[in-house]
Amino acid sequence: EAGVTQFPSHSVIEKGQTVTLRCDPISGHDNLYWYRRVMGKEIKFLLHFVKESKQDESGMPNNRFLAERTGGTYSTLKVQPAELEDSGVYFCASSPTRNTEAFFGQGTRLTVV
Amino acid sequence: DAKTTQPPSMDCAEGRAANLPCNHSTISGNEYVYWYRQIHSQGPQYIIHGLKNNETNEMASLIITEDRKSSTLILPHATLRDTAVYYCIVKQTGANNLFFGTGTRLTVIP
């Protein structure tokens, strides 16, 4: 069974540009989460989808970040326009229910220069 | 948001048991104790979780004190590949997310 996959694994963009990160959860997992670790900080929750609905987006830092999960399958996280402080590693995770363990992807390392 | 306290780092000799402590003195009745780890450059990996009884799986054992205010993750025979940051997390039933603190950096020494 394939795990959680994220694309791209690395992205380097200039300040002001747009970047879209993609996450493919484990098949059948209704719950999808985005987390990130910015330089020197702890891993922080961004948001949670149940199928295609945003259940909790309390961790989204500002309106430059937009997450979608059309059709309740894969999810995208768009950063527009990117700022230097957005650099970090973005993790996606999925789980069958909220009360089961979450499986994480390998992350996307985003560098904004 | 952090509800757990862990030592920042620990060493363990290869082949020996690694015992990683965690304090969660304010844990409430419907909160589980979860352990995850992050090996360098990889995503966090689930290890084990429990409510009040001790738990064991193929990776580790989790010992929770009777008052539930602390717990210990035990890796019975640590290998070099167990070198990672280990996170102890308390999570309510039905909660949306995991609060990762700073964790314990475990270094397994040959």
Side-chain angles (χ1 to χ4, degrees), chain A residues 33 35 37 42-45 48 55-56 58 91 98-102 104-106 109, chain B residues 34 36 38 41-44 46 49 87 91-98 100-102:
Chain A
Y33 310 83
Y35 289 80
R37 182 203 293 273
E42 301 163 11
I43 299 171
K44 293 287 190 183
F45 166 79
H48 169 214
Q55 194 70 23
D56 180 355
S58 60
F91 294 105
R98 281 188 222 186
N99 295 323
T100 48
E101 63 266 28
F104 282 77
Q106 295 288 76
R109 180 172 295 279
Chain B
Y34 280 76
Y36 281 76
Q38 188 179 21
S41 296
Q42 297 183 20
Y46 166 81
H49 76 281
Y87 297 95
K91 178 177 174 295
Q92 267 189 353
T93 305
N96 293 323
N97 60 67
L98 300 165
F100 289 86
T102 52

